[in-house]
Amino acid sequence: MKLLKGAWALLVGVKDALVLLFMLLFFGALYGLLSASPNPGGGKGGALLLSLNGPIVEQAEAVDPRELLTGGGAGAMQYRLADVLQALKAAETDDHIKAVVLDLDAFPGGGRVALEDVAAALDKLRAKKKPVLAYATGYDDKAYLLAAHASEIWLDPMGAAYLAGPGGTQPYFKGLIDRFGVNVHVYRVGKFKSFVEPYILEKASPEARAASQALVGAIWQNWLDNVGKARPRAKLAAYVANPLASFVPGQTSLSKAALDAGIVDRLGDRTAFDKRVAALVGENRSDPDVPFNYSELSDYVAANPASTRGKAIGVIQVVGSIVDGEAPSGTAGGETIAGLIRKAVASGKFKALVVRVDSPGGSALASERIRLALADAKASGLPVVTSMGSVAASGGYWVSMAGDKVFAEPSTITGSIGVFGIIPTFERTLATYGVSTDGIKTTPLSGQPDILGGTNAETDRLIQTGVEDIYGRFLSLVGTARKLPADKVAEIAQGRVWDGGSARQLGLVDAFGSLDDAVAEAARRAKLDPAEAHAVIVEEPVSWLAAMFRNRFGATEPRTDIFTRLARRQKDAFLSGLSDADALLSGPAIQVRCLECATPSPSYRSESLWSLVKNRIFS
């Protein structure tokens, strides 16, 4: 019988392997066919079409082809910031590109700094006398930040411009936690370290509220300044204060109110917009869905890659939550990134490194692992420069301290120099159902932290001391790297989050500048002419199968009205709160993470509320 069972298992294994091989061959052939088939209009000039049906990100999340083969999804469509910027840069001098089209009808946004970088690239392209046309059924803050830099902004007659500014509500779970009798033990340093507040308070503390108000106020002012400069003729302040000022029920519309305020230039449906673009760039009779000549983003980037002239400057990306161990792209695994840094140094290909940080933090241990790897790179003779993206806070700021010079943008969210730990225990929950705990101990720490019976005083003191020890190390690290006295660091730390402008005034960053500015600085520190250097993203190679699924099968945002999209984003914010809770329960007990900086992950957007709760709480 054992022999028969073994033979049967072997046959089943062979069968499964053959099925998997067949599916891989099938999808490989399909990918080859799709790649070989000419995309109507794609790469042939006309308009550079940026149909942004997903977020603009620093680093796209990894796709596991096995998930699709076993019934999972390929994840949300994402557009790499580097690709968008490269396409716009190439279009500046490409005579075949007559215009740029921004289709923002299903655009979910991106980090504020990423959007400002794209907006600046649009300005450069318009300076070359290339028209930029934007279209959407409805504009929110993020979509309008790009549209404001277009030469023509079109709005569907049934649409609206909904410019609300940052802010809103977030869930607080203390009432729910109390109802279930969970005892949440919090260990923290920094009066502004508010990440744990949703689990111990019913609303924001006065300190957290004041800090958050200052932060969103600065970011909103940056948005107003950016859009106001791009659209000086728009009655921006009046429209934001009262978008219905010119609205007359039964006689006008929300779209007409936006037109009257100069927020948009023209009202028209997609057919009218397409005809306008076709008049500029020529008709496309081979594709009924896009009736004007166009070049698609992915095809255009492939045909116009970034320059490789001169010496290479390596770009190390620290994107997403910082976690211990290995992690795929889109998440900053401490061991993964440290390994990439070591490989970059050992290769001898790079004359300097730029660490690009777009992270709200996470594990203190993983953050230090990355920082030490960068310190080793510096010890080997490679200059290291930091470039902050939209967020470089807590653990993200910890990593940033490895740079010889730190660049940020006015809208960068940074700081949050603080440490916290959180451990839930369930002794009261169990007692409600008549369950108690008992046992023997050899020391006061035996069996601690005890999530069933509760922590004791000795354990609480030990963990709090550990948090304070890491906080002291954080302060010392910042003081040394930024050349600030200890009392100054202690004053501006306390877990408080700062906008880039405030951070520069406080000495937490050195200068305003983009990733290109950081690369140029790294080249100069390596004794190179910046014009004779180019950036190379240091990353693990992406398999052709994963690339196929991301490029061809990624889920796109549905096109719908602006109010439906905004309601969906409120759901996303709630799911993000649940994912934060999951990060606390499954992550390290002591973390350097920023609550104000967290954004909903695209991977959560595709999950229903029930599936998230089921997978995260009941599994």
Side-chain angles (χ1 to χ4, degrees):
M1 287 297 295
K2 289 184 177 180
L3 180 62
L4 290 176
K5 288 182 180 180
W8 177 253
L10 178 62
L11 290 173
V12 170
V14 171
K15 182 264 294 181
D16 290 344
L18 290 174
V19 170
L20 180 60
L21 179 61
F22 171 77
M23 295 185 74
L24 289 173
L25 291 174
F26 170 77
F27 280 112
L30 179 62
Y31 177 66
L33 179 64
L34 291 172
S35 300
S37 299
N39 180 19
K44 298 181 180 179
L48 173 59
L49 177 59
L50 302 183
S51 186
L52 301 175
N53 297 321
I56 296 175
V57 298
E58 291 279 351
Q59 183 184 58
E61 289 184 336
V63 175
D64 186 351
R66 292 171 296 183
E67 291 185 6
L68 190 88
L69 296 176
T70 56
M77 181 71 76
Q78 297 177 342
Y79 301 89
R80 288 203 321 166
L81 174 62
D83 291 340
V84 176
L85 295 179
Q86 173 56 28
L88 293 175
K89 182 178 180 180
E92 288 182 28
T93 55
D94 187 348
D95 293 335
H96 296 96
I97 298 297
K98 307 300 182 184
V100 171
V101 172
L102 298 175
D103 187 342
L104 303 172
D105 214 12
F107 180 52
R112 182 61 56 84
V113 168
L115 298 183
E116 290 177 351
D117 287 347
V118 175
L122 293 173
D123 288 341
K124 292 180 180 178
L125 195 139
R126 286 184 59 187
K128 299 289 186 179
K129 308 302 181 183
K130 298 277 180 90
V132 178
L133 295 89
Y135 175 85
T137 303
Y139 293 102
D140 63 4
D141 298 352
K142 293 185 177 181
Y144 194 72
L145 181 58
L146 296 186
H149 294 261
S151 46
E152 290 183 20
I153 304 178
W154 284 63
L155 176 64
D156 190 279
M158 295 181 64
Y162 193 96
L163 309 180
T169 61
Q170 66 182 60
Y172 282 74
F173 301 104
K174 184 180 185 301
L176 178 65
I177 290 172
D178 289 344
R179 177 165 298 201
F180 283 105
V182 178
N183 190 8
V184 178
H185 302 265
V186 171
Y187 317 91
R188 62 173 172 171
V189 184
K191 63 182 179 180
F192 294 103
K193 199 62 185 174
S194 59
F195 194 98
V196 298
E197 288 193 355
Y199 314 102
I200 60 175
L201 300 176
E202 295 179 346
K203 60 181 181 179
S205 67
E207 294 85 358
R209 185 179 300 277
S212 296
Q213 187 66 55
L215 177 66
V216 299
I219 291 175
W220 179 234
Q221 189 59 54
N222 289 338
W223 186 94
L224 291 172
D225 292 343
N226 186 299
V227 172
K229 182 179 179 181
R231 299 279 299 179
R233 64 183 179 276
K235 302 172 185 176
L236 186 61
Y239 185 83
V240 169
N242 183 12
L244 299 178
S246 66
F247 179 76
V248 180
Q251 299 181 27
T252 58
S253 62
L254 294 177
S255 59
K256 183 65 165 53
L259 180 66
D260 291 342
I263 301 300
V264 301
D265 297 306
R266 298 193 184 188
L267 302 182
D269 60 16
R270 185 172 290 276
T271 300
F273 177 76
D274 288 346
K275 288 181 179 179
R276 166 61 177 157
V277 177
L280 291 174
V281 304
E283 294 184 9
N284 173 28
R285 302 182 185 278
S286 60
D287 185 355
D289 293 328
V290 186
F292 53 82
N293 291 328
Y294 73 99
S295 295
E296 196 173 73
L297 175 62
S298 58
D299 295 328
Y300 192 72
V301 172
N304 298 273
S307 171
T308 57
R309 175 185 176 186
K311 303 296 183 179
I313 305 296
V315 177
I316 304 294
Q317 294 179 311
V318 181
V319 176
S321 293
I322 301 175
V323 300
D324 294 318
E326 303 284 342
S329 60
T331 301
E335 293 298 337
T336 300
I337 296 177
L340 288 174
I341 296 169
R342 290 192 294 268
K343 289 178 182 177
V345 174
S347 70
K349 298 178 181 178
F350 305 106
K351 301 302 179 183
L353 296 179
V354 171
V355 53
R356 176 69 167 182
V357 183
D358 191 19
S359 170
S363 165
L365 180 63
S367 301
E368 177 67 355
R369 188 81 70 192
I370 297 170
R371 190 195 68 83
L372 287 175
L374 290 168
D376 289 343
K378 289 168 62 176
S380 71
L382 287 182
V384 175
V385 174
T386 296
S387 171
M388 292 181 172
S390 298
V391 179
S394 287
Y397 189 75
W398 187 305
V399 170
S400 299
M401 292 302 92
D404 299 311
K405 187 170 184 177
V406 179
F407 287 89
E409 298 282 9
S411 295
T412 297
I413 298 175
T414 188
S416 192
I417 303 167
V419 185
F420 74 88
I422 183 168
I423 297 177
T425 61
F426 302 91
E427 64 274 18
R428 290 189 297 172
T429 309
L430 296 177
T432 302
Y433 297 95
V435 178
S436 60
T437 60
D438 193 13
I440 58 173
K441 298 182 178 181
T442 54
T443 75
L445 299 180
S446 296
Q448 292 288 333
D450 186 351
I451 65 170
L452 300 181
T455 61
N456 57 27
E458 291 82 0
T459 300
D460 289 338
R461 284 197 299 270
L462 182 66
I463 297 177
Q464 180 63 36
T465 300
V467 168
E468 293 173 358
D469 181 58
I470 293 177
Y471 182 63
R473 180 176 179 82
F474 203 166
L475 295 182
S476 177
L477 174 66
V478 173
T480 301
R482 304 306 308 153
K483 298 180 175 57
L484 294 172
D487 57 343
K488 178 65 173 178
V489 177
E491 177 186 346
I492 63 180
Q494 299 295 323
R496 180 158 184 172
V497 184
W498 303 97
D499 64 281
S502 299
R504 184 182 181 187
Q505 292 176 356
L506 294 169
L508 293 176
V509 302
D510 292 304
F512 291 150
S514 65
L515 176 59
D516 288 343
D517 294 322
V519 171
E521 176 66 21
R524 285 189 288 267
R525 289 176 178 267
K527 304 296 190 295
L528 300 174
D529 180 354
E532 297 297 325
H534 66 278
V536 176
I537 296 177
V538 181
E539 58 187 348
E540 295 288 353
V542 179
S543 69
W544 62 267
L545 195 58
M548 175 186 71
F549 289 147
R550 171 61 66 199
N551 293 335
R552 302 292 179 180
F553 302 107
T556 61
E557 291 282 333
R559 289 178 175 174
T560 185
D561 63 89
I562 183 67
F563 302 106
T564 300
R565 294 210 304 271
L566 291 169
R568 184 184 298 118
R569 290 180 192 177
Q570 292 303 310
K571 183 201 76 171
D572 294 342
F574 179 68
L575 297 184
S576 179
L578 291 181
S579 72
D580 289 338
D582 175 53
L584 288 178
L585 294 174
S586 60
I590 299 178
Q591 302 188 34
V592 280
R593 187 186 295 269
C594 172
L595 174 65
E596 297 91 333
C597 317
T599 55
S601 167
S603 61
Y604 281 101
R605 278 219 283 276
S606 59
E607 292 189 71
S608 68
L609 175 60
W610 165 246
S611 67
L612 183 80
V613 173
K614 179 183 66 175
N615 293 336
R616 301 297 170 182
I617 296 179
F618 295 108
S619 63

